[in-house]
Amino acid sequence: MATGLGFLLGAYALTYSLTLFTAATVAGFYAVFGAVYLGIAVLCTWGGVRALTSRGGLMLTIGSALIACLGALGLVLALFSGVFSLWTALLVLVGVTIVVLLGRPSSRAFLARHSTH
């Protein structure tokens, strides 16, 4: 389940990074955020592949935690402006869920089977 959610987060991050790169034609600083989300997309997607093949879950954990942290930051900023974003809250929930699922003892045992450190 964690890997499926990781692939969804990776697809979201890739789509969002492309949107930010498009917005960078208007304001160049969006390219920085686009690069960050592109990196998160790689972490979530490649981390999902590694976790699915029991090669380790660190990349997926880091990518999911980054999405959750950026989503929480966005949620706090939105709340300060008087707006609640259900989508951002869902991103935080999915990111935290992946981290929790990968931290379970059964998941750690599965991921440690073939892990190369």
Side-chain angles (χ1 to χ4, degrees):
M1 182 166 177
T3 57
L5 290 173
F7 290 138
L8 286 175
L9 280 184
Y12 164 76
L14 178 63
T15 304
Y16 195 58
S17 72
L18 293 176
T19 304
L20 289 169
F21 283 133
T22 302
T25 59
V26 175
F29 68 90
Y30 284 122
V32 174
F33 295 109
V36 168
Y37 273 94
L38 184 60
I40 291 172
V42 169
L43 282 172
C44 287
T45 305
W46 188 247
V49 169
R50 289 184 53 84
L52 194 60
T53 59
S54 73
R55 301 272 183 224
L58 183 62
M59 289 175 68
L60 182 55
T61 302
I62 291 171
S64 301
L66 285 173
I67 283 280
C69 289
L70 289 173
L73 178 65
L75 194 59
V76 167
L77 292 175
L79 289 175
F80 275 125
S81 66
V83 179
F84 176 76
S85 174
L86 184 60
W87 181 251
T88 306
L90 182 64
L91 285 174
V92 173
L93 180 66
V94 170
V96 169
T97 301
I98 292 171
V99 172
V100 168
L101 286 174
L102 290 175
R104 296 184 67 211
S106 58
S107 297
R108 286 196 319 262
F110 174 77
L111 294 172
R113 261 193 283 172
H114 298 99
S115 183
T116 57
H117 292 289

